[in-house]
Amino acid sequence: MIKEFKEFAMRGNVVDMAVGIIIGAAFGAIVKSLVDDVIMPPIGLLLGNVDFSNLFITLKQGVTSGPYLTLADAKKAGAVTLSYGAFFNTIISFLIVAFSVFLLVKGMNKLKRQQEEAPAVEPTTKDCPHCLSTIPIKATKCAHCTSSL
């Protein structure tokens, strides 16, 4: 069973998939940082110093009564919250990842179409039916066995 698992794990598709998952996770972390640290702060500033990561509604007070200034304070107090600001950040992250994947697939499809549309290359040689040597396609006599073609 160990031998079979090793053969399965070392197949090209499984290794390619593992590399894709690792790169995808790293890309997701980059996009999360882009949204949380680069995109949302200027948008929050334009909307009047709004920190989207701290937009929440308290559904049930925690051990310590609110109002809670930050989502972390509310969570620390054990309050039940509806964290719609974090949800907005996640939606924007998803849209960036989805758009990036769309561009990648679009580029791959374009390359595939170009390969399919490429003109077929005409053969320039053929095999002699008598001695099986490779000869020019326009040859009328084999240079190796001198047979007429």
Side-chain angles (χ1 to χ4, degrees):
M1 186 157 54
I2 293 173
K3 181 182 175 187
E4 288 179 30
F5 178 75
K6 185 177 177 183
E7 288 174 6
F8 168 76
M10 290 301 138
R11 280 190 187 153
N13 293 343
V14 174
V15 174
D16 291 345
M17 184 177 67
V19 169
I21 290 170
I22 292 167
I23 290 174
F27 182 69
I30 291 169
V31 169
K32 181 174 177 12
S33 175
L34 175 72
V35 170
D36 293 345
D37 304 328
V38 178
I39 294 175
M40 295 311 278
I43 292 173
L45 186 63
L46 290 173
L47 296 175
N49 283 338
V50 176
D51 180 7
F52 281 87
S53 63
N54 281 319
L55 293 178
F56 65 96
I57 297 171
T58 304
L59 300 176
K60 180 181 176 193
Q61 296 290 327
V63 175
T64 309
S65 294
Y68 308 107
L69 298 177
T70 65
L71 181 60
D73 292 342
K75 297 270 183 188
K76 186 188 253 183
V80 178
T81 61
L82 182 70
S83 307
Y84 63 92
F87 182 69
F88 288 150
N89 286 351
T90 303
I91 288 173
I92 292 172
S93 295
F94 169 77
L95 291 174
I96 291 171
V97 170
F99 185 68
S100 299
V101 170
F102 167 74
L103 291 177
L104 178 70
V105 170
K106 183 178 176 183
M108 296 297 288
N109 288 341
K110 184 178 180 181
L111 286 174
K112 189 175 180 181
R113 253 184 269 118
Q114 286 175 348
Q115 287 177 345
E116 290 173 355
E117 293 172 358
V121 178
E122 296 282 330
T124 58
T125 60
K126 63 181 177 182
D127 291 336
C128 172
H130 302 286
C131 69
L132 301 177
S133 299
T134 303
I135 56 174
I137 199 145
K138 293 184 179 181
T140 56
K141 205 170 208 43
C142 178
H144 302 282
C145 68
T146 66
S147 298
S148 295
L149 302 173

